[in-house]
Amino acid sequence: MKKVLVIGSGGREHAIVDALGRSPQVGRIFCAPGNAGISLQATCVPIKDTDVEGLLGFARENGIDLTVVGPEAALAAGVVDAFRAAGLAVFGHTKAATQIESSKEFAKRLMLKYDVPTAAYRSFSDYEEALAYVSGRPFPAVLKYDGLAAGKGVVIAADLEEAKAALASMLLDEAFGKGKVVVEDFLTGPEFSFMCFVEGRNVYPMPLAQDHKRAFDGDKGPNTGGMGAYTQLPFITDEDRQFAFEKILCRTAEAMVAEGCPLSGVLYGGLMKTPQGIKVIEFNARFGDPETEVVLPLLQSDIYDVFYAVATGTQPQPLRWSDDVTLGVVLASKGYPGKYEKGYAIEGLEDVDAKIYHMGTKFEDGRLVTAGGRVLMLIGQGESVAQARRRVYAELGKVRCANLFCRTDIAHCALEME
Ligand code: AMP
Ligand code: GLY
């Protein structure tokens, strides 16, 4: 029986642990550092996701057969490079390949060079030059910090005033550190996420999903890490999906091989269906969160085989997916994504008839309490979006906690079209 180490501590990692738990080959699962929910399905070990030496030492001492890396910070810290150098099987991209997420400029240059559709752009390290360029362009202007900024590095500036403030913060005050700013054209249309397992030129697609980034109903309020997601998007046709697969995901995998930094993990395309066709808004070098929580429950193949094949440069059996629809709703701490309190007791989970993934929880004196901005995600499954949605919303009321809120309109865009 195989021993697997999963690195990370959120809902995404809980979904990965849950999927590994369904593999008949997997005997023990460890998670570093994990969370309260994960600890019910795996052995949590208190090692930070960027502590490369600590993780490597643990994997060696415990005879780990395969390590799966969740968060981008761990990839950017070089976990995969270190594990490979030590001869250990690891699922995730090298530091060089992770640039597709960690550097917006790298990603934009790659797309331009290999003709992958995306918004036109220019990049700047000088404040005055950036401001002069933005002043002569139409608004809104899209300004992106060229580095990892925990989802806060993108500003859609409605006018020159806002653009000036954002550029000053990024280039003069170096709010996210020293780095360039990418200025790109503003695109419109529905957004969706297309995740694929990628090993070199081999690309294995997952079902499409749509995230809901704003905090409140009607897509209002501040941007969050994601408040809910669902699969089977009625606004994407089979032709759209095929176009995105061939001209975006496969072409990008090829491009990364040609550039000498082949992919060996998940390539996440954050895509938009614009009036001029499907274009890339961003790439991530990892599973999306909360998309993973709705996508992986649909995988019928043994995920250990898929991870191991990608980690070792071999080909997995064809992937099998359920035709069902999944829909997940996030329960977040009141105040999130701004200031919020932690430590509120959570009760009633044993009565919930749905998958529950923990995003930010811990045990305190034997009680389950809130420990993060996004706390739990409940997943409904059914034959249609409407059915999956009815199922999950019927269960949400059973979760008792004094400090949580959720959106009541996940998948509104799909239901309006039904
Ligand atoms: P990113 O971190 O690059 O995904 O950007 C965060 C969010 O900003 C995206 O999910 C979009 O909603 C929005 N955004 C980014 N780039 C553009 C663009 N070129 N046009 C319109 N909206 C964008
Ligand atoms: N759901 C967006 C992300 O994972 O970046």
Side-chain angles (χ1 to χ4, degrees):
M1 294 293 270
K2 306 296 183 194
K3 285 191 201 169
V4 186
L5 170 64
V6 176
I7 299 174
S9 61
R12 163 181 58 204
E13 287 74 22
H14 194 173
I16 294 170
V17 164
D18 188 41
L20 281 163
R22 295 195 292 275
S23 163
Q25 303 174 67
V26 173
R28 268 199 92 174
I29 308 172
F30 298 90
C31 189
N35 65 35
I38 293 175
S39 76
L40 304 174
Q41 290 175 261
T43 305
C44 291
V45 288
I47 308 173
K48 257 190 82 172
D49 61 9
T50 49
D51 176 2
V52 179
E53 286 308 311
L55 294 164
L56 193 57
F58 179 84
R60 276 204 183 111
E61 282 156 29
N62 291 278
I64 297 296
D65 295 291
L66 172 71
T67 298
V68 180
V69 186
E72 62 275 22
L75 297 167
V79 168
V80 171
D81 308 69
F83 272 60
R84 289 227 181 119
L88 296 176
V90 58
F91 175 90
H93 305 298
T94 60
K95 211 167 158 173
T98 301
Q99 285 183 91
I100 199 156
E101 169 166 5
S102 62
S103 167
K104 301 269 185 204
E105 201 192 10
F106 175 91
K108 292 301 277 192
R109 224 186 298 131
L110 186 89
M111 288 188 265
L112 198 67
K113 182 167 169 190
Y114 293 91
D115 200 20
V116 175
T118 190
Y121 82 105
R122 290 266 310 268
S123 69
F124 299 91
S125 43
D126 182 76
Y127 169 77
E128 295 296 340
E129 281 176 26
L131 192 60
Y133 176 75
V134 171
S135 307
R137 305 279 307 166
F139 282 93
V142 182
L143 313 173
K144 300 186 176 183
Y145 172 71
D146 181 37
L148 292 180
K152 300 194 178 77
V154 176
V155 174
I156 313 280
D159 52 34
L160 189 58
E161 206 57 25
E162 277 183 41
K164 218 170 167 172
L167 288 172
S169 146
M170 292 184 203
L171 289 172
L172 298 178
D173 305 340
E174 299 180 352
F176 306 109
K178 209 169 170 57
K180 292 188 184 175
V181 169
V182 167
V183 180
E184 65 177 42
D185 289 353
F186 179 76
L187 304 176
T188 54
E191 287 182 64
F192 63 103
S193 311
F194 194 169
M195 301 191 287
C196 295
F197 296 100
V198 184
E199 188 285 303
R201 293 189 170 81
N202 301 312
V203 184
Y204 311 102
M206 303 187 215
L208 303 179
Q210 191 181 40
D211 185 7
H212 294 57
K213 289 195 168 133
R214 302 296 199 98
F216 309 128
D217 283 359
D219 295 320
K220 302 251 164 40
N223 257 318
T224 70
M227 295 297 294
Y230 68 101
T231 58
Q232 279 195 21
L233 316 179
F235 56 90
I236 299 297
T237 63
D238 289 346
E239 292 76 40
D240 289 336
R241 185 169 188 273
Q242 197 55 28
F243 174 87
F245 180 66
E246 286 171 19
K247 305 286 192 277
I248 296 178
L249 279 306
C250 293
R251 194 174 277 180
T252 301
E254 285 279 349
M256 292 296 277
V257 172
E259 292 294 304
C261 40
L263 296 167
S264 55
V266 172
L267 178 61
Y268 166 123
L271 312 181
M272 189 184 268
K273 184 171 174 172
T274 78
Q276 290 77 39
I278 295 178
K279 298 195 180 192
V280 177
I281 292 291
E282 65 163 346
F283 279 125
N284 290 326
R286 49 165 176 85
F287 280 111
D289 194 347
E291 290 91 334
T292 305
E293 292 93 311
V294 291
V295 167
L296 287 188
L298 298 175
L299 180 63
Q300 293 173 331
S301 307
D302 182 340
I303 201 166
Y304 182 87
D305 280 339
V306 183
F307 284 152
Y308 194 77
V310 171
T312 55
T314 53
Q315 296 209 7
Q317 297 290 322
L319 270 58
R320 287 174 292 107
W321 298 94
S322 161
D323 289 331
D324 277 0
V325 182
T326 43
L327 188 151
V329 181
V330 171
L331 286 160
S333 295
K334 287 180 187 163
Y336 172 79
K339 265 183 123 124
Y340 58 85
E341 293 172 17
K342 302 179 194 176
Y344 285 83
I346 306 167
E347 290 170 350
L349 297 192
E350 59 287 354
D351 300 324
V352 172
D353 183 19
K355 255 188 198 305
I356 304 174
Y357 291 132
H358 291 233
M359 306 179 97
T361 59
K362 66 175 185 180
F363 286 117
E364 208 170 63
D365 305 324
R367 286 188 327 162
L368 183 69
V369 300
T370 62
R374 292 187 297 172
V375 176
L376 295 168
M377 186 166 177
L378 266 57
I379 316 295
Q381 187 164 335
E383 284 169 12
S384 64
V385 176
Q387 192 180 50
R389 189 184 199 209
R390 259 197 313 279
R391 286 189 175 153
V392 72
Y393 277 108
E395 298 303 312
L396 275 162
K398 296 180 184 168
V399 180
R400 296 193 301 278
C401 180
N403 198 45
L404 295 178
F405 78 100
C406 68
R407 278 185 59 163
T408 65
D409 66 343
I410 299 303
H412 62 87
C413 169
L415 292 171
E416 282 151 18
M417 286 182 71
E418 264 186 5

